[in-house]
Amino acid sequence: MPYLVDSHAHLTFSDTFDIEALLTNAKRAKVNKIINICTDTLSFERGEKVANLHPWIYNAAALSPHDVEKKEAENFFKQVELAAKAKKIVAVGETGLDYYYHKRSQELQKEYFIRHIELAKKYSLPLIIHCREAFVDLFEISAKYLPFPALLHCFTGSLDEAIKATNLGWFISISGILTFPKSQELRSVVEKIPLEKMMIETDSPFLAPQKYRGKSNQPAFVIEIAQKIAELKNCPVEKVIEVTAENAISFFSL
Ligand SMILES: [Zn+2]
């Protein structure tokens, strides 16, 4: 079986995680590259240590839309800029807009989203975007800065939004949500969007696939998403693994 790439995991989200065990499980499950998403100073410092010990773990960093109102926000943004400049990250992200969880901070989210786009462009890094119930603003803001490479992580939008994104040359990344009983709309998006525009991710420790629902998610479970995509597209799982891994390797220049 070919090797999997988990394009979005929060390996260093908490210092309570047994990272060595998570990585051993991942290796055993044939995951050979993981993009570790750092959303604050501590997760980034831990991420740097992990990447130094395990060169198959790559860091991305940005102030997420969940954190724009925190008092450390501006400091962390500056840290992301330094990391980009020093080539310590393979992407700027996750940044973006979340109007589902955070209606109040919309203006501030937009401001930081724009600053992250500018930062990514300045240092020629791709962007990892988090977008929930904010696609109109997302496309409107992005239009002023195009073209730039982006990945819509944990995609849960409509087919229309997926087509718009992929027409811009962007990728969508599919998470364990695909395996949830209620995710009919996402399954029809996956049926219609070509594999060549897709990556797979766990978003661990969140969003464990249906088979592990209620458990803490981990990169080893990314195979569940590949299997579901293969089933929907009626193709061998090896092909899903190969194409999504190739997409990630070229997008993040791994
Ligand atoms: Zn995430």
Side-chain angles (χ1 to χ4, degrees):
M1 196 168 72
Y3 287 102
L4 292 136
V5 177
D6 182 353
S7 75
H8 194 110
H10 297 264
L11 280 175
T12 53
F13 179 70
S14 158
D15 61 3
T16 62
F17 296 167
D18 183 347
I19 294 175
E20 292 305 316
L22 294 176
L23 296 186
T24 303
N25 294 346
K27 276 237 153 127
R28 221 174 270 153
K30 291 238 171 194
V31 177
N32 81 344
K33 289 178 180 60
I34 300 171
I35 308 298
N36 178 46
I37 310 297
C38 307
T39 54
D40 59 20
T41 301
L42 283 174
S43 62
F44 182 60
E45 282 170 5
R46 286 191 286 265
E48 284 203 276
K49 281 185 199 143
V50 175
N52 283 334
L53 283 171
H54 304 280
W56 54 288
I57 310 302
Y58 303 85
N59 289 310
L63 183 71
S64 93
H66 308 297
D67 298 325
V68 294
E69 283 183 313
K70 292 194 176 152
K71 69 174 191 322
E72 315 80 60
E74 190 54 31
N75 266 341
F76 186 56
F77 181 82
K78 287 190 182 121
Q79 200 179 358
V80 174
E81 168 138 45
L82 289 177
K85 197 173 174 180
K87 301 195 186 322
K88 288 179 175 174
I89 51 177
V90 294
V92 173
E94 59 190 283
T95 177
L97 307 170
D98 192 320
Y99 296 171
Y100 179 79
Y101 282 116
H102 312 283
K103 276 206 159 55
R104 278 185 314 133
S105 60
Q106 286 186 11
E107 289 311 308
L108 199 53
Q109 289 184 44
K110 285 187 207 167
E111 218 176 275
Y112 272 115
F113 179 47
I114 290 169
R115 290 174 66 193
H116 281 102
I117 298 174
E118 289 171 339
L119 178 64
K121 291 193 78 154
K122 182 170 173 188
Y123 295 104
S124 305
L125 287 168
L127 206 66
I128 301 167
I129 297 177
H130 170 107
C131 182
R132 192 144 182 215
E133 297 196 355
F135 281 100
V136 173
D137 283 1
L138 181 89
F139 287 123
E140 194 184 302
I141 292 171
S142 300
K144 296 180 191 140
Y145 298 89
L146 290 168
F148 59 88
L151 169 62
L152 288 177
H153 111 86
C154 194
F155 185 80
T156 51
S158 65
L159 178 61
D160 216 40
E161 288 153 353
I163 292 171
K164 253 187 200 158
T166 52
N167 282 347
L168 297 176
W170 294 359
F171 289 88
I172 62 171
S173 178
I174 307 298
S175 71
I177 291 176
L178 184 69
T179 64
F180 297 172
K182 281 185 185 158
S183 304
Q184 201 41 55
E185 189 182 14
L186 183 59
R187 284 190 281 274
S188 71
V189 168
V190 165
E191 280 168 9
K192 287 168 192 123
I193 297 294
L195 263 186
E196 286 64 29
K197 294 288 177 192
M198 249 179 241
M199 292 182 215
I200 50 177
E201 67 172 73
T202 55
D203 204 10
S204 52
F206 316 107
L207 298 175
Q210 190 62 22
K211 188 171 160 190
Y212 302 101
R213 204 91 192 256
K215 278 191 173 185
S216 183
N217 198 5
Q218 54 174 297
F221 298 164
V222 75
I223 181 71
E224 294 291 315
I225 300 144
Q227 272 162 353
K228 190 75 197 174
I229 295 174
E231 191 187 299
L232 292 165
K233 290 199 164 297
N234 205 5
C235 74
V237 68
E238 288 79 8
K239 184 173 176 212
V240 175
I241 295 171
E242 240 167 51
V243 175
T244 55
E246 275 166 21
N247 292 343
I249 289 166
S250 86
F251 179 79
F252 294 110
S253 309
L254 305 181

